[in-house]
Amino acid sequence: MAVAEGSRSRSRFRTRRSAADIGLTVWSIAVFLFLFAPIIVIIAYSFNVGRLLVSWDHFGFDSFAAIVTKPAIRDAVLVSIRTGAVAALLATALGTLAGIAMARRPGKWVFWFIGLLLLVSVTPEIVDAVALLPWLVFLGQDLGLGIFSDGIVRLVIGHSLFSTAIVAYIVRARLVGLDAQLEEASADLYAPPLRTFWRVTLPLALPAVLAGGLLSFTLSLDNTIVAAFVQVSGTTPWPVYVLSALRSGLRPEIAAVSTIMLLLTLFALAMVAVVLRRAGDSATQIARTMAGS
């Protein structure tokens, strides 16, 4: 009898657990739908052939041709891609050197330096934008340094600030977990510091460097607030172009090009995951890296 009661108890427990599992599954699906429904809608409306985005006419691929046929859209996309590539290179170079220095030259300065990087990471973008605009104007106009009046240069500076901190975090985290014996052995074999850096240190940090560069590129593509402040006429990036298009009403080609930019971003993130996976990172570590933590 006791065995029968135990069996019924376990059966009720399995029933309750199954109900809880079903409830959690339904709730998870609802959350994902809530998060991704806007993206699904914009992808669906990118196939709308009509005058306005919100007014469905009929299905077609005409809107995707706008990235080639409309000069304003084409120029905005090219500015975003060019800025993202240059900003990623700059942020990767600076962030890699900072990350290596923090990992291989520990000391009291590292604590303060990480604090400064954290300050850059948590500062609201609107604060960065308001601070950058008068500073770049001062450098470009008051001091006569014409390079700071160039639209691409201003966008690259604005976009690379946050990305440099992210790259530094990622590179430091990878090197801290790796033994420095290989670099010490290289020095014992009388290799110059620069050769040790190129032959030993950089290959060890390469997965983090590549991941940081790709993340920097994706972060630059959707940077709107800073870009809206520091851009100049003739170098309007895609997010600012979309923001200005709100005044006249969004057109289907906006959704189509946004879908293309989304696919480009997803491709870059997928490359980050592949690089980190081949470097031996777990799924949790990859998620943390993509989140910039």
Side-chain angles (χ1 to χ4, degrees), residues 236-271:
T236 300
W238 174 249
V240 179
Y241 177 87
V242 174
L243 190 63
S244 63
L246 290 173
R247 302 172 185 173
S248 58
L250 290 178
R251 298 179 300 276
E253 55 261 27
I254 299 292
V257 179
S258 297
T259 299
I260 295 174
M261 299 292 280
L262 173 64
L263 294 176
L264 182 61
T265 302
L266 293 177
F267 175 76
L269 292 176
M271 292 299 297

Side-chain angles (χ1 to χ4, degrees), residues 44-240:
Y45 272 87
S46 65
F47 297 97
N48 176 27
V49 178
R51 182 176 175 274
L52 294 176
L53 178 64
V54 296
S55 179
W56 182 271
D57 192 338
H58 62 276
F59 182 89
F61 296 91
D62 297 351
S63 301
F64 289 92
I67 196 172
V68 177
T69 59
K70 295 195 174 182
I73 293 179
R74 182 182 65 243
D75 293 344
V77 172
L78 289 177
V79 167
S80 286
I81 294 177
R82 193 187 322 161
T83 300
V86 179
L89 290 175
L90 178 61
T92 301
L94 296 177
T96 298
L97 295 178
I100 292 174
M102 289 189 292
R104 293 298 185 247
R105 295 294 183 269
K108 292 183 178 179
W109 73 274
V110 174
F111 173 80
W112 297 104
F113 192 74
I114 291 178
L116 292 175
L117 292 178
L118 182 63
L119 182 63
V120 173
S121 302
V122 301
T123 300
E125 282 190 88
I126 187 65
V127 176
D128 291 335
V130 172
L132 273 173
L133 180 58
W135 175 242
L136 293 175
V137 170
F138 171 75
L139 293 175
Q141 298 182 7
D142 298 344
L143 294 185
L145 301 176
I147 189 174
F148 293 102
S149 296
D150 183 86
I152 296 295
V153 172
R154 293 169 66 149
L155 289 171
V156 167
I157 293 173
H159 290 190
S160 60
L161 291 177
F162 178 78
S163 300
T164 300
I166 296 299
V167 176
Y169 291 144
I170 296 174
V171 173
R172 177 182 178 272
R174 176 162 293 275
L175 287 181
V176 164
L178 297 176
D179 199 340
Q181 289 182 350
L182 290 176
E183 295 155 283
E184 294 171 358
S186 176
D188 292 340
L189 294 173
Y190 303 101
L194 188 59
R195 179 174 297 178
T196 299
F197 172 80
W198 283 110
R199 296 291 183 87
V200 180
T201 307
L202 189 58
L204 288 175
L206 190 58
V209 173
L210 294 176
L214 291 169
L215 280 176
S216 300
F217 178 73
T218 59
L219 290 172
S220 176
L221 286 181
D222 66 353
N223 191 309
T224 306
I225 299 177
V226 173
F229 274 75
V230 303
Q231 60 116 14
V232 298
S233 178
T235 55
T236 300
W238 174 249
V240 179

Side-chain angles (χ1 to χ4, degrees), residues 26-41:
V26 172
W27 179 254
S28 300
I29 294 173
V31 170
F32 276 108
L33 287 176
F34 175 78
L35 292 174
F36 291 101
I39 299 177
I40 296 173
V41 169

Side-chain angles (χ1 to χ4, degrees), residues 276-277 280-287:
L276 294 177
R277 173 63 70 181
D281 282 9
S282 64
T284 302
Q285 291 171 324
I286 294 174

